[in-house]
């Protein structure tokens, strides 16, 4: 794993990131560090793609975050002042005290202990009859011919907020949630959400690109192929992040149709 900023600089020479500012950010309760790269709205996605392609060399997964609180005099101060790796929210989760080691690597290790199908059976309350009714309604549509409004899945742009491309000491996208708390995990546990992201990664080749506290912005390589698969995925996403569909007023059927077409997911859960 690359830890020296000078070595990162060598890798990004002759790219748009060549002159970007990079700082170390200590990760509390560990001997680890993250590397923070300065990006902006115009170049953040291209920057993420560059660092994602370099993952095999850096051994650090990249994710875009925004600095919402405690503004400083400059970008570096903003990053440090935001205490990105604060553990307070994790400690409020219902399952936190059930484990002897819930700090970073210990939390990641819990993911493989979760039976994702058992979790889904407990979390998802839709009855088989209701599922079949929704599926029958979907099958009467033709998503290739019908218009699907994907505007509610457009990624959020944090205007006037300092942005950071974090290089974390992990290699898998779902492990990001062990370091950066997502609001949607508050009631079900970060380990459960991480297990869900891992499951989706295995099923759909997802990659987490942006993490804005209440919002996860994800790319997906392998879209669902059937109405049944899309409907099941829509139900899973509603179970993890109800605000994704509730706030824009999108029906379960509409969300399933959208998932058949889009290569970008927007998972939203807020107070």
């Amino acid at each position: 794993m690359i830890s020296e900023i000078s070595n990162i600089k060598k890798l990004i020479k002759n790219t748009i990131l060549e002159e970007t500012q990079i700082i170390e950010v200590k990760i509390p309760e560990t001997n680890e560090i993250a590397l923070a790269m300065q990006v902006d709205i115009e170049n953040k996605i291209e920057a993420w793609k560059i660092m994602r392609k370099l993952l095999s060399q850096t051994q650090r997964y990249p994710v875009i975050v925004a600095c919402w609180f405690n503004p400083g005099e400059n970008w570096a101060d903003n990053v440090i002042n935001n205490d990105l790796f604060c553990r307070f929210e994790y400690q409020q989760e219902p399952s936190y005290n059930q484990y002897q080691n819930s700090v970073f690597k210990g939390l990641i290790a819990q993911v493989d202990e979760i039976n994702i199908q058992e979790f889904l059976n407990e979390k998802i309350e839709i009855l088989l009859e209701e599922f079949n009714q929704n599926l029958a309604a979907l099958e009467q549509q033709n998503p290739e011919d019908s218009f699907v409004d994907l505007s509610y899945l457009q990624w959020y742009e944090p205007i006037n907020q300092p942005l950071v491309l974090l290089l974390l000491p992990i290699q898998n996208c779902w492990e990001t949630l062990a370091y950066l708390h997502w609001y949607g995990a508050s009631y079900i546990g970060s380990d459960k959400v991480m297990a869900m992201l891992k499951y989706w990664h295995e099923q759909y080749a997802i990659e987490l690109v942006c993490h804005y506290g209440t919002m996860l912005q994800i790319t997906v390589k392998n879209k669902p192929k059937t109405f049944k698969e899309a409907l099941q995925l829509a139900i899973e996403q509603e179970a993890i992040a109800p605000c994704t569909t509730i706030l824009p007023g999108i029906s379960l059927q509409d969300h399933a149709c959208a998932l058949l077409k889009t290569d970008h997911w927007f998972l939203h859960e807020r107070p």
Side-chain angles (χ1 to χ4, degrees), residues 68-270:
W68 299 106
F69 311 109
N70 305 319
E73 295 183 1
N74 52 53
W75 173 82
D77 284 345
N78 282 320
V79 177
I80 301 301
N81 291 350
N82 266 260
D83 195 14
L84 297 171
F85 304 114
C86 176
R87 305 311 290 171
F88 177 80
E89 297 297 337
Y90 291 93
Q91 294 166 1
Q92 311 311 305
E93 293 180 7
S95 61
Y96 182 85
N97 293 321
Q98 297 179 19
Y99 306 99
Q100 293 181 350
N101 185 0
S102 292
V103 176
F104 305 108
K105 300 300 184 185
L107 184 53
I108 290 171
Q110 291 167 200
V111 172
D112 290 333
E113 302 298 318
I114 295 170
N115 184 314
I116 198 64
Q117 292 304 326
E118 287 184 3
F119 167 67
L120 288 173
N121 289 339
E122 294 173 0
K123 183 66 179 173
I124 294 174
E125 298 179 354
I126 189 169
L127 299 176
L128 179 61
E129 181 179 359
E130 184 181 353
F131 181 91
N132 288 334
Q133 288 174 350
N134 282 316
L135 181 59
L138 272 174
E139 289 174 341
Q140 295 178 3
Q141 304 181 36
N142 185 338
E144 297 301 323
D145 296 334
S146 61
F147 173 74
V148 180
D149 185 0
L150 302 178
S151 60
Y152 75 101
L153 291 176
Q154 289 180 354
W155 284 4
Y156 175 77
E157 296 291 354
I159 307 296
N160 298 325
Q161 298 295 334
L163 295 176
V164 186
L165 181 59
L166 274 181
L167 305 183
L168 298 171
I170 54 174
Q171 296 188 54
N172 300 305
C173 67
W174 59 90
E175 296 172 345
T176 300
L177 270 64
Y179 287 80
L180 303 170
H181 193 265
W182 179 55
Y183 179 81
S186 298
Y187 301 105
I188 59 178
S190 291
D191 54 343
K192 306 294 195 308
V193 179
M194 290 162 62
M196 198 73 248
L197 292 180
K198 181 181 180 183
Y199 174 72
W200 288 335
H201 177 79
E202 293 167 348
Q203 298 294 313
Y204 304 107
I206 69 163
E207 294 282 356
L208 178 61
V209 179
C210 305
H211 183 325
Y212 295 140
T214 60
M215 295 165 278
L216 301 179
Q217 299 183 172
I218 293 168
T219 61
V220 53
K221 183 177 180 181
N222 303 324
K223 296 186 284 290
K225 298 179 176 60
T226 66
F227 285 120
K228 184 176 182 179
E229 186 182 1
L231 180 60
Q232 177 61 32
L233 176 58
I235 293 169
E236 291 169 2
Q237 291 193 358
E238 278 196 348
I240 297 296
C243 289
T244 303
T245 54
I246 290 175
L247 289 182
I250 300 298
S251 72
L252 189 65
Q253 293 178 29
D254 288 339
H255 191 49
C257 284
L259 293 174
L260 286 166
K261 290 194 169 187
T262 184
D263 57 2
H264 287 73
W265 294 354
F266 181 84
L267 300 182
H268 187 196
E269 188 59 17
R270 54 165 294 172

